Amino acid sequence: PINEDCPVAPNNPYAFSKYQAEEICKYYAQNFGATITVVRPFNVYGAGQSSKFLIPTILEQALHGTDIRVNDLSPKRDYIYVDDLVEAIMLTARCEHTYRIYNRGSGISHRVKDVIDLIQMQAETDKRVFSSGISRQNEISNVVADSSRARKELGWFPKVGINQGIRKIVQSDLVRQRNGRD
């Protein structure tokens, strides 16, 4: 698990930009006394999420495709349901530290294959799964958040497990379909 004090080594432009933003915040806190809290959400998911992300892409294929296709089944990510993240941000707004970083994740990682299986179980589908075997450049194989600082200092912990979160997303998508919003 990655805690807030682990060395940061950005491996792509997106990660580097987030790191630089944290460094700017830290600078302002240290030099101008600004109260700044950084929230590091891990893989956020929830109903209505853009299809650019993994879970909605898989759900769309499970409900409407003939099969499910992904690049790589093996990467593991720590997913946090959007409602848990909103609660975490609300609690963080009351933080009194000059500069503090809080991770937001579940503390458990799931393979892409596991996510596909959960979605198919909740959607009651059994589509064939195909992987092209293509890994993203600089892919980190397993990412897990250590959110114990948030638990200790703010009393925060995630309440929605991935099974329940995916069930909520599937139900929301099915309701949208029945109401003709798809």
Side-chain angles (χ1 to χ4, degrees):
I2 300 167
N3 69 35
E4 296 86 351
D5 299 321
C6 285
V8 177
N11 64 348
N12 61 57
Y14 174 66
F16 185 71
S17 71
K18 293 192 317 183
Y19 171 70
Q20 290 293 12
E22 286 184 11
E23 288 297 302
I24 291 168
C25 290
K26 184 178 176 182
Y27 175 85
Y28 267 83
Q30 290 173 344
N31 291 287
F32 300 106
T35 301
I36 298 174
T37 304
V38 173
V39 175
R40 287 181 180 165
F42 280 57
N43 292 69
V44 182
Y45 70 102
Q49 185 175 31
S50 167
S51 61
K52 294 177 185 176
F53 294 91
L54 180 69
I55 290 177
T57 298
I58 295 169
L59 179 59
E60 176 67 24
Q61 293 178 77
L63 293 175
H64 306 294
T66 55
D67 51 44
I68 297 174
R69 295 180 181 273
V70 295
N71 286 334
D72 191 352
L73 293 169
S74 61
K76 294 175 78 175
R77 295 293 177 265
D78 185 335
Y79 294 93
I80 178 172
Y81 191 70
V82 65
D83 292 353
D84 283 332
L85 179 59
V86 169
E87 178 192 16
I89 292 170
M90 299 293 286
L91 286 170
T92 305
R94 293 183 264 162
C95 186
E96 296 180 7
H97 294 280
T98 302
Y99 180 75
R100 199 65 158 167
I101 298 173
Y102 291 101
N103 285 342
R104 298 298 202 244
S106 69
I108 302 168
S109 62
H110 301 275
R111 292 181 309 139
V112 171
K113 174 68 170 106
D114 300 332
V115 171
I116 292 169
D117 292 345
L118 286 169
I119 289 172
Q120 290 218 75
M121 182 180 73
Q122 293 298 328
E124 298 179 355
T125 61
D126 189 22
K127 307 271 172 90
R128 288 182 43 183
V129 177
F130 298 95
S131 169
S132 64
I134 299 171
S135 296
R136 292 188 301 184
Q137 186 175 3
N138 298 320
E139 181 76 69
I140 299 171
S141 63
N142 190 10
V143 177
V144 183
D146 175 353
S147 298
S148 59
R149 176 182 288 169
R151 180 181 284 262
K152 179 181 172 189
E153 295 180 7
L154 304 173
W156 178 84
F157 58 93
K159 294 175 181 69
V160 179
I162 194 161
N163 291 336
Q164 181 185 8
I166 287 177
R167 184 177 329 110
K168 287 181 176 193
I169 294 169
V170 170
Q171 290 170 349
S172 173
D173 196 73
L174 293 173
V175 166
R176 266 199 318 277
Q177 285 178 33
R178 282 194 294 272
N179 293 334
R181 292 189 201 144
D182 229 19

